[in-house]
Amino acid sequence: MKIVHKLILLLWFLVGCEKDDICTEDTPTTPRLIIEFYDSINTSVKKNVANLKVQGLGAQTELNFNLVDQIEIPLKTTDNSAEFSFIINSISNSNLTNQDNIRFNYTRNDIYISRACGFKTNFDLNLGNGVEQSNPVGDTEFWIDQIEIVKTKIETENEVHIKMYF
């Protein structure tokens, strides 16, 4: 009888135990869009962008970058597009400030990671209209001369997805 009780107790202990649910820092998360900037004349040369403000249209938060040739921006995980204003020389009070609006069109792929970590979302930029550029009303000049999709699948932050030439 004691052996049966011990077996029942052991079985209850084994069934009742749960694996720890901890989401570690190295767990893959939703990747951001990686953009590199290049010289529009010498297209193989990276170029630093000065006082760049990137703001999601309709969003309150903004990302500010200065003298960088690469940036990372988050895409929407609840929609199939995200539109941003890219404002160069954003802290300048001169005519050098210029805004281009960029819309990224994509499909989303939600991937279950674990109970603790939840889901992450990968993105696929659309082939036909993955990137659309426009100007605000009254603005006739683009500061971004060309946009090139380098990688349509956005699955990691270890590679460049978009090149912008200015």
Side-chain angles (χ1 to χ4, degrees):
M1 193 68 145
K2 288 184 180 183
I3 295 177
V4 172
H5 285 246
K6 287 181 181 179
L7 285 174
I8 290 173
L9 184 60
L10 179 64
L11 185 60
W12 176 78
F13 179 74
L14 292 174
V15 172
C17 290
E18 291 185 22
K19 207 165 107 179
D20 286 342
D21 262 348
I22 299 172
C23 192
T24 62
E25 278 188 32
D26 61 337
T27 302
T29 58
T30 298
R32 294 170 293 181
L33 180 69
I34 307 298
I35 301 170
E36 274 188 343
F37 295 95
Y38 285 82
D39 189 290
S40 61
I41 296 168
N42 190 353
T43 58
S44 63
V45 175
K46 289 183 184 180
K47 185 175 178 182
N48 286 338
V49 62
N51 298 315
L52 175 65
K53 177 169 70 172
V54 178
Q55 183 169 7
L57 295 185
Q60 297 299 321
T61 57
E62 59 187 46
L63 302 170
N64 292 291
F65 306 94
N66 189 31
L67 299 176
V68 295
D69 62 13
Q70 181 176 305
I71 63 171
E72 306 86 22
I73 58 173
L75 297 175
K76 291 181 181 179
T77 59
T78 57
D79 202 353
N80 288 329
S81 68
E83 191 168 0
F84 297 89
S85 64
F86 283 69
I87 306 168
I88 193 170
N89 299 318
S90 63
I91 62 170
S92 172
N93 291 331
S94 69
N95 293 345
L96 299 176
T97 299
N98 193 334
Q99 175 179 334
D100 289 1
N101 294 333
I102 309 292
R103 180 184 176 111
F104 300 99
N105 299 302
Y106 47 83
T107 55
R108 294 169 285 133
N109 182 18
D110 295 327
I111 300 165
Y112 180 74
I113 303 298
S114 69
R115 187 170 60 181
C117 300
F119 288 84
K120 79 173 202 166
T121 303
N122 287 341
F123 307 95
D124 289 317
L125 290 170
N126 297 351
L127 291 177
N129 67 341
V131 180
E132 298 175 320
Q133 183 178 11
S134 64
N135 267 334
V137 175
D139 185 354
T140 57
E141 277 191 51
F142 287 109
W143 71 268
I144 302 170
D145 296 323
Q146 180 185 352
I147 301 172
E148 175 187 354
I149 297 175
V150 177
K151 185 138 178 84
T152 58
K153 293 194 177 297
I154 303 166
E155 299 172 325
T156 71
E157 295 180 354
N158 299 333
E159 53 204 0
V160 175
H161 306 111
I162 301 285
K163 288 183 179 180
M164 292 186 179
Y165 302 87
F166 73 103

